[in-house]
Amino acid sequence: MRLLERLRKEWFMIGIVLAIAGAKLEPSIGVNGGPLKPEITVSYIAVATIFFNSGLSLNTEELTSALVHIKLHLFIQIFTLAFFPAAVWLFLQLLSITPINEWLLKGLQTVGCMPPPVSSAVILTKAVGGNEAAAIFNSAFGSFLLGSSSSVPFTSIFSQLFMTVVVPLIIGQIVRRYIKDWLERKQPPFGAVSSSVLLMIIYTTFCDTFSNPSIDLDKFSLLLVLFIICSIQLSFMLLTFIFSTRNNSGFTPADTVAVMFCSTHKSLTLGIPMLKIVFAGHEYLSLISVPLLIYHPVQILLGSVLVPTIKSWMVSRQKGVKLMRPTV
């Protein structure tokens, strides 16, 4: 009985291990163009499912409140699009005196300039129980803002974001109006649905990673880039945590969760097309792309592993806030 209970609690972590192992054993199933067709099932259907799920589970008041939380949006966007790339640039000035390949360093710099993804940051924020509505707004807005100012076709970005984020979210909100009583009575497992979609994303991401010929580095360089990326992610997550939990920050624990994921995650979907346009015909394009190709699966894996810890902190912090409120 205890074993079954523990498996029920740890199913997501077990799922991550099985997803990565399955991707390593037979990556051809989940690669673009493979039997699973992730270019459709993940890029469109899975992402649309995430936001339809969010539309069903979120009250309209929560979405409205998140929309006008200007301070939170400014913090995330300034950190993502200004502080992150500037800090990475300074860090890379130190690394430039080392024997690390200069094109890998340029690749790390481009990672710092990427916007947040529209899926993983939202799913992880929801899995923890953070401010999901704020995560939705900032993930979509960051991609739209940077994409519209880059060389990537504006119409393509807008149409994909509209069809996979805005439309499913609105449909979810409309459906919620008609079945609100049923949803409150039955309480469907929205979190489990999002976690299952995340496992699918993890699986297909690692299928691409394991089968990608671009990631053909010597083991030392590969491990070094992996270590640098993990260090950057953990350092920035810690930094955003410290900034957003100060007494005068004005952020709730749920806001902090959204800040940690939205400010540190980077988009592969928008990033790779941008690299192919900016560095078109460049002989070192494959090396420049490697850091982003590694950053993407690492951010999902690292975020998934940290979900229980961050959730435990958030719950205890929220309990502490409730206890501190004066009784009338």
Side-chain angles (χ1 to χ4, degrees), residues 48-64 122-123 125-127 129-134 136 168-195:
T49 300
I50 292 165
F51 289 99
F52 175 73
N53 191 35
S54 295
L56 273 180
S57 60
L58 286 170
N59 290 320
T60 305
E61 294 76 18
E62 290 180 88
L63 286 170
T64 307
V122 175
I123 296 177
T125 300
K126 185 181 182 68
N131 191 337
E132 183 187 354
I136 290 171
L169 190 66
I170 292 173
I171 293 173
Q173 283 283 286
I174 293 171
V175 173
R176 179 181 171 81
R177 283 192 174 190
Y178 292 98
I179 60 171
K180 186 177 180 181
D181 292 338
W182 181 85
L183 289 172
E184 291 176 352
R185 188 170 64 253
K186 295 293 184 179
Q187 295 185 340
F190 293 117
V193 171
S194 294
S195 296

Side-chain angles (χ1 to χ4, degrees), residues 15 52 70 76 104 109 115 137 147 173 277 292 302 312:
F52 175 73
I70 306 299
I76 291 174
L104 288 176
Q109 181 63 72
F137 176 83
Q173 283 283 286
I277 291 171
L292 182 58
L302 192 60
S312 177

Side-chain angles (χ1 to χ4, degrees), residues 87-106:
V88 169
W89 181 82
L90 287 172
F91 178 55
L92 294 181
Q93 300 313 299
L94 296 174
L95 292 180
S96 64
I97 61 174
T98 67
I100 301 174
N101 187 295
E102 64 173 304
W103 299 107
L104 288 176
L105 295 182
K106 288 186 184 296

